[in-house]
Amino acid sequence: MAGGVVLTQCKNVLRGDRLLVDMTTGVSRVESDSGRVQGLFDQSAGNGLRRQPPGGGGAKPGIPSLIPGKK
């Protein structure tokens, strides 16, 4: 699809010039001629997006890392 594409899901909005969908893999991509795609994402609970805890998650304090060489 081309020509001012606007995708919405609940209060989430994504805008660009083109929407490319690979029907085999199901992967979608929004592109823009300017190289900048605009997105507005609602962070309130229940919007269908998985939220990460502050700090990006990772190992919890006191639990050793499974990565060799890291404590």
Side-chain angles (χ1 to χ4, degrees):
M1 296 177 79
V5 175
V6 179
L7 296 175
T8 60
Q9 179 187 34
C10 298
K11 294 181 180 179
N12 302 314
V13 181
L14 194 58
R15 298 176 192 266
D17 293 320
R18 286 176 301 285
L19 171 64
L20 302 163
V21 179
D22 185 325
M23 299 300 282
T24 304
T25 63
V27 174
S28 302
R29 187 169 74 194
V30 176
E31 296 180 341
S32 175
D33 293 331
S34 70
R36 180 172 269 177
V37 173
Q38 295 177 334
L40 176 64
F41 300 97
D42 180 20
Q43 295 184 5
S44 63
N47 65 3
L49 296 176
R50 196 174 108 196
R51 296 174 71 185
Q52 275 196 326
K60 296 187 188 303
I63 299 175
S65 172
L66 298 177
I67 301 172
K70 292 226 173 189
K71 293 184 180 182

